[in-house]
């Protein structure tokens, strides 16, 4: 059973389009992080959301944490080819220290 | 250093051989995590250290996997008698601390290395 479900698994869009990636769980997380991973590299942290209902913006990326802290979304406005990559959500629970990762959304933005 | 350094980048082992992977965390970071990324991008937690002490080893297959973080040495992950299913990319990540922010919140931004791709043939 996957604790964090990400959807869609794959997304191929044209430059300029908008998209939303979802990260859902039946469990509550104390915080949730979004990472982006490019081929041959490790994931790089984009943002951490902590408070239920929190919205954070990073240029064209908008991250939201659900009110109940069970789900999150990532919205990209006017996607560019440079946004191509694997987007991973990862949840932290309590003080255990290890993050639980979703399986990721592989995004391809075509010029 | 300012980056998590993992070596080697690629490692090929015949089934049954030993494999040893290394990780130098960012200087000043107290926590080290090992993750295994298998096909379809799934990240599986293996083990974490607080300095040289094991913090959480709930993800470690105990029979063939072992890990150490000794003072003044890179951390290591060793697989005895590798199996085909051990083929994966192994990522090391480090973190300055675990608890950041208010008392009832916990989050640990992880800084990942670029991984070691292990291929077992």
């Amino acid at each position: 059973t996957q604790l964090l479900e990400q959807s869609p698994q794959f997304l191929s869009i044209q430059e300029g389009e908008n998209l939303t990636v979802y990260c859902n769980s039946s469990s509550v997380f104390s915080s949730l992080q979004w990472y982006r991973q490019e081929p041959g590299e490790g994931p790089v942290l984009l943002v951490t959301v902590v408070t239920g209902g929190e919205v954070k913006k990073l240029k064209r990326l908008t991250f939201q944490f659900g009110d109940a802290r069970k789900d999150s979304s990532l919205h990209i406005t006017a996607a560019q080819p440079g946004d191509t990559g694997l987007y991973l959500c990862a949840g932290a629970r309590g003080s255990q220290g290890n993050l639980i990762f979703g399986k990721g959304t592989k995004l391809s933005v075509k010029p | 250093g300012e980056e998590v350094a993992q070596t080697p980048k690629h490692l090929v082992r015949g089934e049954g051989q030993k494999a040893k992977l290394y990780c130098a965390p960012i200087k000043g970071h107290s926590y080290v995590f090992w993750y295994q990324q298998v096909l379809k991008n799934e990240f599986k937690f293996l083990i974490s250290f607080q300095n040289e002490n094991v913090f959480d080893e709930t993800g470690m297959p105990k029979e063939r996997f072992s890990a150490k973080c000794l003072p003044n040495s890179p951390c290591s992950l060793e697989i005895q008698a590798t199996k085909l299913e051990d083929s994966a990319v192994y990522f090391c990540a480090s973190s300055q601390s675990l608890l950041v922010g208010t008392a009832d919140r916990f989050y640990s931004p992880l800084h990942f290395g670029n991984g070691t791709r292990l291929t077992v043939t």
Side-chain angles (χ1 to χ4, degrees), chain B residues 40-93:
Chain B
K40 298 188 179 178
N41 304 316
E42 188 172 347
F43 269 83
K44 185 192 167 194
F45 168 75
L46 295 175
I47 191 169
S48 60
F49 288 84
Q50 180 182 14
N51 297 312
E52 63 265 26
N53 303 308
V54 174
F55 187 73
D56 182 350
E57 57 182 344
T58 52
M60 279 289 265
K62 293 279 178 62
E63 306 79 42
R64 299 179 296 107
F65 284 61
S66 62
K68 290 179 189 176
C69 273
L70 299 175
N72 303 313
S73 295
C75 295
S76 64
L77 176 69
E78 189 167 336
I79 309 172
Q80 302 284 345
T82 52
K83 295 184 178 181
L84 294 176
E85 65 254 31
D86 297 331
S87 294
V89 181
Y90 291 82
F91 284 99
C92 171

Side-chain angles (χ1 to χ4, degrees), chain A:
Chain A
T1 305
Q2 185 69 18
L3 203 56
L4 271 173
E5 297 283 349
Q6 277 191 249
S7 62
Q9 199 173 348
F10 299 98
L11 193 53
S12 181
I13 59 171
Q14 292 295 128
E15 184 175 1
E17 291 183 13
N18 302 331
L19 67 114
T20 303
V21 174
Y22 300 93
C23 178
N24 296 306
S25 176
S26 56
S27 300
V28 175
F29 291 94
S30 58
S31 65
L32 201 136
Q33 298 175 347
W34 284 91
Y35 289 82
R36 192 176 98 181
Q37 183 181 21
E38 299 196 36
E41 297 181 6
V44 175
L45 180 70
L46 295 172
V47 79
T48 301
V49 285
V50 178
T51 307
E54 183 177 3
V55 176
K56 277 192 174 177
K57 290 197 174 188
L58 190 68
K59 296 182 181 176
R60 293 176 293 100
L61 278 60
T62 302
F63 303 85
Q64 188 162 8
F65 202 11
D67 291 340
R69 286 187 282 131
K70 291 182 180 181
D71 53 83
S72 181
S73 64
L74 156 61
H75 182 79
I76 302 179
T77 305
Q80 296 177 3
D83 296 327
T84 293
L86 178 69
Y87 289 82
L88 295 152
C89 66
R93 292 196 297 176
S95 59
Q96 288 171 344
N98 79 73
L99 287 178
I100 298 164
F101 280 83
K103 285 189 178 179
T105 294
K106 198 162 185 178
L107 172 66
S108 172
V109 182
K110 294 181 171 41

Side-chain angles (χ1 to χ4, degrees), chain B residues 9-40:
Chain B
K9 198 171 174 66
H10 300 281
L11 190 57
V12 180
R13 287 289 179 265
E15 208 173 359
Q17 291 185 317
K18 184 172 74 176
K20 196 163 184 178
L21 292 59
Y22 298 92
C23 167
I26 292 173
K27 196 175 178 183
H29 282 194
S30 303
Y31 292 87
V32 171
F33 301 77
W34 285 98
Y35 282 88
Q36 180 194 53
Q37 188 177 31
V38 295
L39 286 176
K40 298 188 179 178

